[in-house]
Amino acid sequence: MNLELSEEQTAVRQLAKDFTDREITPHVVEWDRAESVDRSIVRKLGALGFLGLTIPEEYGGSGGDHLAYCLVTEELGRGDSSVRGIVSVSLGLVAKTVAHWGTEEQKRRWLPGLTSGELVGCFGLTEPGTGSDAGNLTTRAVRAGDDYIINGSKMFITNGTWADVVLLFARSTDAPGHRGVSAFLVPTDTPGLTRREIHGKLGLRGQATAELFLEDVRVPASAMIASEGKGFSVAMSALAKGRMSVAAGCVGIAQAALDSAVKYATEREQFGRTIAHHQLVQELITDIAVDVDAARLLTWRVADLIDRGQPFVTEASKAKLFASEAAVRAANNALQVFGGYGYIDEYPAGKLLRDARVMTLYEGTSQIQKLVIGRALTGVSAF
Ligand SMILES: Cc1cc2nc3c(=O)[nH]c(=O)nc-3n(C[C@H](O)[C@H](O)[C@H](O)COP(=O)(O)OP(=O)(O)OC[C@H]3O[C@@H](n4cnc5c(N)ncnc54)[C@H](O)[C@@H]3O)c2cc1C
């Protein structure tokens, strides 16, 4: 892998950096306190092509490779993980899945809106009773003539109350476990689909996370994406690339922790000199810097593998595992550098730590990533 970025990658990274510094960073505290980012950000992301990266231009996408996608995700994550998450889900989990698995009709119906930001997508896999054990989900889709009727509920759905379409996973046959699961593209204004926003989250407070309830939701059979019983493969392929996106977002958090810790350490004085002169403070900053580099290299490796059409699933789990744990460590170390000021939300470290904390939980907990990696190493599945 050549670690020197191409002209195009350098340009898109700079575009994302400028956008983050101009449109996101100044509002971060306000959005966090209000428990909502400004919704106009979605259209702005779309206008710059950030919601269409890796999607073919014929469907409204902006093309680009997976490294470019990582660079943009990293910059957005440096600014606000709530904004980064909107992109990781609407583009990363939904639009990319439609582009990969969808019929021509599904691509034409959904991709132009999702890539422009006119539409928002959400990913409905987790249920109240099945999180890590998603293959045993219980939402049911029953065939009725040319339609399916869906009943059940979904939990912790990012973009849930904002979304126009949900990529929904439901059990449509009696085959046991994940073999009975199918995937559907369900417009969120379909009668019988209701949503409730979840408030009081520790972090990602600017992001709309919701419960979805489905009561006799009728969709045409043409809403199924991929074939019957293929839903779990669809979900896992989306999440494998999704883990790269989460890892890139974590690099952004760790980078923000580093930038803010260095700035503060070179300004704050104690014992007659800046705290940067104290070697134990330098140690905290050094530990953050090493985490940033290691997480970034693991993440870029995944992008490189995907772009070269090589197997990447285990490497994506390694990157997500390391980068998410590194983001928590980095934000915690930054908070230590800030001392008591790190504990109030006028300074960035506290929010970085609160946002980082969910990264070891969603899109597969750290324990689940270890099982995926362990299975690849030993050939023995613990699932
Ligand atoms: C803010 C937020 C946003 C989210 N967004 C989405 C979304 O957009 N779409 C979606 O579908 N889901 C989403 N999720 C759900 C998320 O993916 C799940 O929370 C996650 O998969 C874990 O499931 P759980 O919370 O039910 O925990 P559980 O699965 O109940 O796990 C609890 C604990 O047990 C451990 N554990 C479970 N099984 C094993 C095992 N076999 N071996 C070892 N340890 C194990 C876990 O690692 C964890 O520590 C989101 C969650 C949050 C908090």
Side-chain angles (χ1 to χ4, degrees):
M1 179 188 184
N2 180 2
L3 290 177
E4 196 179 346
L5 300 180
S6 69
E7 251 178 57
E8 197 182 323
Q9 289 160 344
T10 305
V12 80
R13 181 191 226 180
Q14 190 61 44
L15 191 65
K17 185 180 181 322
D18 293 345
F19 176 79
T20 297
D21 292 341
R22 191 181 64 246
E23 301 282 351
I24 299 177
T25 308
H27 306 290
V28 162
V29 174
E30 169 200 336
W31 290 344
D32 186 56
R33 288 179 182 166
E35 281 196 63
S36 181
V37 306
D38 185 334
R39 198 178 168 148
S40 67
I41 200 82
V42 180
R43 289 288 193 132
K44 292 177 184 171
L45 290 162
L48 289 177
F50 294 161
L51 287 165
L53 285 162
T54 76
I55 304 287
E57 288 170 19
E58 60 177 307
Y59 301 112
S62 41
D65 56 18
H66 283 80
L67 186 51
Y69 176 44
C70 278
L71 295 169
V72 170
T73 312
E74 187 184 311
E75 284 302 323
L76 297 176
R78 183 177 62 79
D80 189 347
S81 293
S82 290
V83 176
R84 192 277 304 161
I86 294 169
V87 176
S88 288
V89 173
S90 197
L91 164 62
L93 295 184
V94 181
K96 281 164 73 67
T97 300
V98 175
H100 183 78
W101 294 88
T103 61
E104 191 58 27
E105 187 196 334
Q106 288 166 338
K107 290 180 196 176
R108 300 244 169 250
R109 175 165 183 197
W110 295 113
L111 290 180
L114 289 170
T115 53
S116 67
E118 188 190 328
L119 302 177
V120 172
C122 70
F123 185 82
L125 180 65
T126 303
E127 299 182 354
T130 54
S132 301
D133 189 15
N136 278 316
L137 59 82
T138 60
T139 293
R140 262 218 98 92
V142 176
R143 184 88 194 214
D146 290 338
D147 299 333
Y148 281 90
I149 296 175
I150 308 177
N151 281 281
S153 65
K154 296 289 170 181
M155 186 67 183
F156 293 134
I157 305 306
T158 301
N159 296 343
T161 47
W162 283 18
D164 302 281
V165 59
V166 50
L167 175 56
L168 185 93
F169 300 90
R171 186 165 297 287
S172 68
T173 76
D174 290 331
H178 64 81
R179 286 195 294 279
V181 175
S182 299
F184 299 86
L185 287 162
V186 182
T188 52
D189 59 1
T190 310
L193 197 162
T194 53
R195 306 177 264 185
R196 187 182 72 82
E197 188 154 340
I198 298 168
H199 289 285
K201 299 198 297 288
L202 178 67
L204 297 186
R205 291 169 73 87
Q207 198 173 83
T209 310
E211 276 184 89
L212 309 185
F213 305 96
L214 299 109
E215 216 180 306
D216 292 334
V217 171
R218 183 180 280 268
V219 292
S222 61
M224 183 181 283
I225 188 163
S227 53
E228 183 130 55
K230 274 274 174 222
F232 201 67
S233 301
V234 172
M236 291 305 111
S237 79
L239 288 172
K241 285 184 184 163
R243 285 167 186 161
M244 179 195 72
S245 180
V246 173
C250 289
V251 175
I253 292 176
Q255 183 69 57
L258 179 61
D259 295 346
S260 58
V262 168
K263 182 168 185 296
Y264 190 77
T266 50
E267 290 168 0
R268 172 76 172 170
E269 291 189 7
Q270 290 293 289
F271 298 95
R273 50 193 185 162
T274 64
I275 60 171
H277 283 85
H278 304 303
Q279 289 176 341
L280 295 180
V281 173
Q282 287 195 13
E283 182 189 41
L284 290 167
I285 292 172
T286 303
D287 286 349
I288 301 173
V290 174
D291 269 338
V292 170
D293 283 358
R296 182 174 284 132
L297 288 173
L298 282 173
T299 306
W300 285 16
R301 178 174 69 168
V302 182
D304 179 58
L305 288 170
I306 296 174
D307 287 332
R308 288 190 295 110
Q310 298 297 310
F312 66 93
V313 172
T314 312
E315 283 69 21
S317 280
K318 287 180 187 169
K320 199 268 183 184
L321 171 64
F322 184 85
S324 59
E325 300 285 348
V328 174
R329 269 196 308 274
N332 202 33
N333 280 333
L335 197 150
Q336 196 67 20
V337 172
F338 277 83
Y341 295 94
Y343 205 64
I344 53 178
D345 73 357
E346 280 165 41
Y347 292 83
K351 177 176 183 298
L352 292 173
L353 181 58
R354 289 188 286 108
D355 286 348
R357 198 58 194 82
V358 78
M359 308 297 165
T360 71
L361 299 173
Y362 71 7
E363 300 208 18
T365 64
S366 287
Q367 286 72 30
I368 294 301
Q369 304 310 329
K370 287 179 185 177
L371 295 182
V372 171
I373 298 162
R375 180 177 59 192
L377 292 171
T378 63
V380 178
S381 176
F383 296 109

